[in-house]
Amino acid sequence: MTEQLQTGLIRISDDVVATIAGLAALETPGIAAMSGGISEGLAKRLSGKNVQKGVSVEVGQLEAAIDLRVIVKYGIPIHEVSRQLQLNVRESVENMTGLHVVEVNIKVEGVAFKEEEVVDVDSSRVK
C-alpha cells in the first residue's frame, strides 16, 4: 500500500501484511498450524520468519489478496473453520492496514489428529 499525504508517503510491505495474516490465522479456532512445504519451511526457519509460513500475499496500492496453506484439527468441519479463517484474516488485515482485502484463498494441506501428529495430504504420511 502506498498513500500520499501532506506530510509524506505511507507504504505497507508485503511482509507486514503476511505477518498480520499469519498471526490472525493461527488465532483461529480449529487451525492446528500453517503449512509451508519442505523448502519454504526450511527457508523460513533460516530467515526467522516463521509467522509468515504458509502465507502468500499480493499487495497493491489499495487492495490485497492473500493465500493461506493450513493444517486443520481433526473433528472440526473444514468448511466452517475455513470460513472463520477467511473472516478473521480479512478483518485483521483491513483493520490494521486500511487495505481492502479482495480475497482470502485457503488450501487445506493436512489434518492434525494430536498436537504432534499431522497427516500431510500431499504425501499421505504422518509427521
Side-chain angles (χ1 to χ4, degrees):
M1 172 184 163
T2 305
E3 186 176 324
Q4 180 69 44
L5 299 176
Q6 292 176 349
T7 58
L9 204 58
I10 298 172
R11 291 189 181 139
I12 300 175
S13 77
D14 292 5
D15 285 346
V16 169
V17 174
T19 299
I20 294 167
L23 289 170
L26 291 173
E27 292 175 354
T28 302
I31 299 298
M34 303 302 289
S35 175
I38 293 171
S39 62
E40 182 179 317
L42 179 60
K44 296 294 184 185
R45 271 194 299 272
L46 294 175
S47 66
K49 296 181 180 179
N50 286 327
V51 172
Q52 296 175 12
K53 182 174 91 168
V55 181
S56 300
V57 299
E58 290 182 35
V59 180
Q61 290 188 4
L62 301 174
E63 298 177 331
I66 301 165
D67 295 323
L68 302 170
R69 293 178 311 280
V70 299
I71 297 168
V72 298
K73 294 179 182 175
Y74 178 78
I76 298 176
I78 292 173
H79 64 284
E80 290 177 15
V81 74
S82 296
R83 288 286 175 225
Q84 188 60 50
L85 175 59
Q86 288 174 316
L87 292 171
N88 290 351
V89 169
R90 178 183 310 273
E91 183 178 290
S92 292
V93 171
E94 287 182 350
N95 287 342
M96 291 190 70
T97 66
L99 292 167
H100 173 66
V101 177
V102 293
E103 60 186 20
V104 178
N105 301 309
I106 298 169
K107 181 177 181 185
V108 177
E109 292 191 340
V111 177
F113 293 101
K114 297 179 188 172
E115 290 295 320
E116 317 81 37
E117 194 173 287
V118 174
V119 175
D120 187 342
V121 176
D122 291 336
S123 63
S124 298
R125 64 183 169 183
V126 177
K127 295 181 181 178

